[in-house]
Every structure is written in C-alpha cells, then in structure tokens.
Amino acid sequence: AKLSGQVGHSANVLTYRMCKENNPLIHEYMLGSIKKIILSCPQKKLEELENLGYVTIRDNGLTELEPNTLTCTTVGILDKNNIPEELKFIKRLRLL
C-alpha cells in the first residue's frame, strides 16, 4: 500500500509538470496509452536520479518511514530506442 501511494504521488507530479509545460504527450499519457512500469531500484540510484533533477518523492514520515525518506523517482516518458545514458541501468532492474 505504501509503495502504491508513493508511485501515485510521483505520477501526479510528473503529470502536473507536463501540463505546466503544455507537453503534447500529456494527452497520450492521460489516455493510458503510455505504459507505466514500476521497477525496484537501489536507494543509491534513486539519489543519483534526484541529483540529476528527476521527479522524486520523499515521505513525510507520518506512518512507517522516517521523515524525508526518498521512496520513489519517476523518469518520465521514455522512448525505448532513445534512453538517456544516465538511465540505461534501468534495463537491469527488477519489475515489481
């Protein structure tokens, strides 16, 4: 349950940013034609992605986790034929 909540937060932040940028992919994303994939990732990699400016979610610490725990990162919409160098490691991650 905790993970699904954090993933929901990250999807909302990504959608909000895409709307602010008037991104043409937002319509396709909202229709559900773009796959949403959840992967298990080492904490160190989440921190690296946060430092690179990707959308990250840190928990408020109101339930199970310590305040400010980095729980989730979203890398946005990717073209599987044109993955940025810093994200190529995701091909090795385990699907949840």
Side-chain angles (χ1 to χ4, degrees):
K2 184 69 170 178
L3 176 60
S4 59
Q6 298 300 307
V7 170
H9 288 314
S10 68
N12 288 340
V13 171
L14 174 64
T15 303
Y16 177 74
R17 286 188 182 177
M18 290 172 67
C19 286
K20 281 180 51 177
E21 297 168 4
N22 200 20
N23 189 316
L25 288 173
I26 190 66
H27 182 69
E28 191 175 348
Y29 178 80
M30 295 306 292
L31 288 175
S33 56
I34 295 176
K35 294 177 185 172
K36 286 82 172 170
I37 300 170
I38 302 170
L39 304 168
S40 178
C41 184
Q43 188 72 21
K44 183 178 177 180
K45 284 293 188 183
L46 292 177
E47 292 167 2
E48 288 175 18
L49 294 174
E50 180 178 47
N51 290 334
L52 290 170
Y54 287 92
V55 172
T56 56
I57 301 299
R58 288 189 170 268
D59 195 76
N60 287 335
L62 301 176
T63 56
E64 310 164 21
L65 303 174
E66 292 296 317
N68 206 33
T69 299
L70 178 58
T71 58
C72 187
T73 301
T74 184
V75 296
I77 299 170
L78 298 176
D79 174 351
K80 67 180 178 180
N81 298 314
N82 191 21
I83 296 176
E85 193 63 38
E86 71 267 15
L87 297 177
K88 294 207 177 191
F89 75 94
I90 65 175
K91 292 180 180 181
R92 299 185 307 271
L93 297 178
R94 183 175 55 90
L95 186 64
L96 288 177

